[in-house]
Amino acid sequence: MLIIAGPCVIEDRDTVFEVAKKIRELKDKYPKHMWIFKASFDKANRSSIDSYRGPGIEKGLELLSEVKEKFELPITTDIHEPWQAEIVGKVVDIVQIPAFLCRQTDLIVAAAKTEKIVNVKKGQFMAPWDMANVVEKLRKSGASEILLTERGTTFGYNNLVVDFRSIPIMKKFGVKVLFDATHSVQRPGGLGKVSGGDREFVPYLSRAAIAIGVDGLFFEIHPEPERALSDGANMLNLEDFEVLIGKLIKLYSFMKENF
């Protein structure tokens, strides 16, 4: 199983290293699975102009490079503009396209040209079958490997719902499909100037995704989610994540052996 985890945004060195240390420990405990560290150098789609966005591309990639070297973890981060792709592609192992930008052709093409794995979050506004066009853009632009990530679909105002049919539908495109267990419980813009979330549903939805046959899981985790500078309401703390991922790995193994 592919497991992508990390804080929503790069806040400071201590927080990043604490989370990376935990992921490295889990990698050592469960070495059969592929563990990827994730954090954003810039959150360009924050609800409010006053919200914290991150340290920027230069400082952010510098810190991600340190994580990669110190903890021997593959890394991923997201890009928001085509010019960022080449710079980011020199550092990360997976280039991530945010859900809101999954139809931006120039961004998709630039990510493909890095020759790195590209992970595209399915837009909250997208039908799963429409992601076939995203896959085609990537393939025609030379992408080496493609991942698609389900992260919930807009369900009225400030709410998301997960249609688990999207996982087998998108797998038919011949790509690996992940499930973003923490963004799927988000309430976009639900608290006015910031997004809300219902992290208590993360275990239920992630178990359902594994039962359906997902190839990997995506989590945002933090030492103290209540104090996080972005997406705290839907993130898991490190202790809860460790307990949950252990159970999910057992379920994944059972599903692989029996279905």
Side-chain angles (χ1 to χ4, degrees):
M1 182 164 59
L2 179 64
I3 304 165
I4 300 176
C8 177
V9 65
I10 295 172
E11 297 179 7
D12 56 69
R13 181 185 300 271
D14 289 345
T15 300
V16 166
F17 277 21
E18 184 176 354
V19 176
K21 180 174 180 290
K22 174 57 67 177
I23 296 172
R24 179 66 218 200
E25 290 171 355
L26 291 169
K27 180 180 180 180
D28 292 339
K29 187 175 182 179
Y30 303 106
K32 289 171 123 183
H33 306 279
M34 183 176 293
W35 296 82
I36 313 290
F37 178 88
K38 178 268 169 188
S40 299
F41 60 81
D42 180 24
K43 300 300 291 184
N45 58 347
R46 294 304 304 273
S47 299
S48 169
I49 195 169
D50 298 319
S51 297
Y52 176 75
R53 288 181 52 168
I57 190 167
E58 184 176 345
K59 291 182 179 179
L61 290 179
E62 183 180 324
L63 194 50
L64 288 172
S65 296
E66 289 185 45
V67 168
K68 186 173 184 176
E69 182 177 353
K70 180 178 176 64
F71 298 98
E72 298 181 325
L73 289 170
I75 57 175
T76 183
T77 195
D78 36 14
I79 59 173
H80 298 86
E81 299 180 69
W83 66 267
Q84 296 174 342
E86 183 178 1
I87 299 169
V88 169
K90 293 177 181 178
V91 177
V92 304
D93 300 275
I94 300 175
V95 177
Q96 180 173 291
I97 305 297
F100 285 125
L101 301 177
C102 70
R103 288 184 52 148
Q104 298 300 309
T105 302
D106 290 346
L107 189 66
I108 294 288
V109 171
K113 288 182 177 179
T114 65
E115 300 184 352
K116 294 297 179 76
I117 300 170
V118 180
N119 177 29
V120 183
K121 296 282 193 79
K122 180 179 77 65
Q124 302 91 323
F125 47 87
M126 292 280 284
W129 43 86
D130 288 334
M131 291 299 288
N133 295 322
V134 177
V135 172
E136 183 182 25
K137 289 178 184 180
L138 286 164
R139 285 180 172 151
K140 287 188 174 180
S141 302
S144 61
E145 185 175 345
I146 301 166
L147 308 174
L148 297 180
T149 298
E150 167 61 44
R151 53 94 72 232
T153 301
T154 299
F155 187 63
Y157 297 124
N158 305 124
N159 200 10
L160 300 173
V161 67
V162 179
D163 179 0
F164 283 105
R165 294 177 301 173
S166 68
I167 292 171
I169 288 171
M170 292 193 293
K171 288 185 75 166
K172 289 180 180 179
F173 307 151
V175 300
K176 290 183 179 179
V177 177
L178 314 182
F179 177 63
D180 184 338
T182 48
H183 281 108
S184 292
V185 301
Q186 191 180 57
R187 292 186 178 270
L191 300 178
K193 286 197 170 186
V194 297
S195 293
D198 302 298
R199 72 168 64 92
E200 64 267 29
F201 297 118
V202 170
Y204 301 102
L205 296 183
S206 51
R207 290 199 298 265
I210 289 177
I212 283 175
V214 79
D215 298 298
L217 295 170
F218 180 108
F219 298 90
E220 286 189 337
I221 58 178
H222 193 279
E224 298 180 86
E226 294 76 13
R227 300 181 64 182
L229 299 181
S230 178
D231 280 2
N234 51 264
M235 284 201 282
L236 299 177
N237 68 42
L238 302 186
E239 292 75 19
D240 289 343
F241 174 66
E242 181 172 8
V243 172
L244 176 61
I245 201 65
K247 294 178 179 178
L248 295 175
I249 285 173
K250 289 181 181 178
L251 178 59
Y252 182 85
S253 299
F254 175 82
M255 294 299 299
K256 278 293 199 181
E257 293 171 5
N258 294 278
F259 292 93

